[in-house]
Amino acid sequence: MMLAGKVAVVTGAGGGIGREIALAMALAGAKVVVNDIGASLTGQGPTSTTPGEQTVAIIAQRGGQAVVNTESVAAWDSAQRIVQAALDSFGRIDIVVNNAGILRDQIFHKMSVEDWRAVIDVHLNGSFYVSRAAAEHFRKSGSGSFVHMTSTSGLIGNFGQANYSAAKLGIAALSKSIALDMQRFGVRSNCIAPFAWSRMTSSIPAETEAEKARVARLQQMTPDKNAPLAVYLASDAAKDVTGQIFAARHNELFVFSQPRPVRSTHRGEGWTPETIAETAIPALRSAFLPLDRSGDVFSWDPV
């Protein structure tokens, strides 16, 4: 019961990773606001209360307490109502898990402004809106934990996901800023880059043999494998863990590096474009990173 007495808001908790995190937090003793608008993977079409209600029903069957909330994370006012639902239902808020997300994949030169804005609004702006709505309550209580979902698509790279990748890398920076700004108030902020076969990954192409092998690896990694890490990060056991980026890949856990200078060169008289080309770039080239993507870096079978 690592979360006994705590209240958690989990966005996008109507299915997949979000549902598993909500279930695990409830089993760990937390009261949970299950937020989900019940929309399609692209965020379009009619919405439904059913996904969130199903998660709440499972929690209740297991003896836990939860309420459903169908507000969108992608607007300031509705994000305020998500946090208010925790206060109205349970009297406090201790944990925010920013998990809600949509996908609108497209190769960059064909990506529309609408698809760019929609993904940024849900992932990056949504993480800000919900976190900001909870921040003042966390500050007043002198504690609180943010758990944000980033992705190796942003941390490393991927094809056809400029909107998603930009949002997910932005979330890592947002988390670090929250950690820096709110540490003095006892508030923590961390990221998880989850690996799981779910609705969010079911659109990955599987046409070539290499793509089929990658999908087969992903299908081994069920959404529930990410939940224990989220529960730990939300608990008091992680009171000294903040500003970090973790990943959960089947039975593996990782902590990610964050950008730091890796090599330098110096010229006392300064640089010109010509001397940069002649001297600086040859000196720095050995530290260049390859144009790889997530699947190239995590190339081994899940263990």
Side-chain angles (χ1 to χ4, degrees), residues 191-303:
C191 285
I192 297 175
F195 286 77
W197 183 254
S198 67
R199 188 173 71 155
M200 289 288 287
T201 52
S202 62
S203 62
I204 293 175
E207 298 175 5
T208 68
E209 289 304 314
E211 288 173 342
K212 290 177 181 178
R214 183 189 178 204
V215 166
R217 288 196 297 270
L218 278 171
Q219 289 174 331
Q220 298 177 51
M221 297 180 280
T222 52
D224 60 291
K225 292 291 187 176
N226 300 276
L229 179 57
V231 170
Y232 164 75
L233 290 173
S235 75
D236 293 339
K239 64 179 183 294
D240 60 343
V241 180
T242 190
Q244 305 306 309
I245 303 170
F246 297 94
R249 186 177 188 263
H250 200 45
N251 295 321
E252 301 167 288
L253 294 178
F254 304 89
V255 63
F256 269 75
S257 64
Q258 299 181 39
R260 298 290 186 275
V262 294
R263 191 176 180 89
S264 68
T265 186
H266 168 262
R267 191 169 185 267
E269 58 270 41
W271 296 97
T272 66
E274 292 77 14
T275 57
I276 290 173
E278 294 166 2
T279 305
I281 296 304
L284 298 174
R285 188 175 296 277
S286 64
F288 284 12
L289 294 172
L291 196 62
D292 50 17
R293 55 183 182 141
S294 178
D296 301 319
V297 174
F298 289 92
S299 58
W300 63 94
D301 289 344
V303 297

Side-chain angles (χ1 to χ4, degrees), residues 17 98-99 123 127 147-156 164-173 175 190-195 244-247 256:
I17 294 169
N98 283 311
N99 172 76
H123 289 276
S127 294
V147 180
H148 315 274
M149 295 297 145
T150 184
S151 172
T152 56
S153 291
L155 300 171
I156 299 172
Y164 181 77
S165 297
K168 288 303 192 182
L169 190 56
I171 286 170
S175 177
N190 293 284
C191 285
I192 297 175
F195 286 77
Q244 305 306 309
I245 303 170
F246 297 94
F256 269 75

Side-chain angles (χ1 to χ4, degrees), residues 1 16 21 27 36 39 42 89 104 106 147 154 180 242 251 259 285:
M1 302 293 285
I21 290 174
L27 282 176
D36 202 294
T42 62
S89 300
R104 296 196 187 179
Q106 184 59 269
V147 180
L180 288 167
T242 190
N251 295 321
R285 188 175 296 277

Side-chain angles (χ1 to χ4, degrees), residues 6-189:
K6 296 188 181 296
V7 175
V9 167
V10 184
T11 68
I17 294 169
R19 172 175 287 180
E20 295 299 333
I21 290 174
L23 296 179
M25 289 192 167
L27 282 176
K31 299 172 183 177
V32 184
V33 175
V34 174
N35 166 261
D36 202 294
I37 66 170
S40 68
L41 180 60
T42 62
Q44 298 166 306
T47 60
S48 172
T49 61
T50 301
E53 289 172 345
Q54 289 174 339
T55 303
V56 169
I58 297 170
I59 290 172
Q61 289 168 4
R62 297 178 179 180
Q65 296 184 57
V67 296
V68 68
N69 176 278
T70 58
E71 297 282 354
S72 171
V73 302
W76 174 260
D77 290 343
S78 55
Q80 296 284 326
R81 291 191 289 270
I82 294 170
V83 170
Q84 191 62 44
L87 301 173
D88 292 343
S89 300
F90 303 121
R92 59 184 294 138
I93 183 169
D94 304 280
I95 301 157
V96 167
V97 180
N98 283 311
N99 172 76
I102 64 171
L103 282 180
R104 296 196 187 179
D105 292 355
Q106 184 59 269
I107 199 74
F108 182 71
H109 67 278
K110 294 182 179 180
M111 183 168 289
S112 69
V113 171
E114 292 75 21
D115 287 347
W116 171 267
R117 286 177 175 165
V119 171
I120 295 293
D121 277 346
V122 172
H123 289 276
L124 182 55
N125 291 341
S127 294
F128 166 74
Y129 294 145
V130 179
S131 297
R132 180 62 181 82
E136 186 63 18
H137 302 288
F138 284 0
R139 185 189 69 81
K140 288 178 180 177
S141 67
S143 65
S145 175
F146 293 103
V147 180
H148 315 274
M149 295 297 145
T150 184
S151 172
T152 56
S153 291
L155 300 171
I156 299 172
N158 212 348
F159 294 134
Q161 291 194 315
N163 48 7
Y164 181 77
S165 297
K168 288 303 192 182
L169 190 56
I171 286 170
L174 172 65
S175 177
K176 182 65 175 290
S177 293
I178 293 171
L180 288 167
D181 287 350
M182 301 202 70
Q183 183 180 31
R184 73 188 74 176
F185 307 118
V187 178
R188 296 171 290 109
S189 181

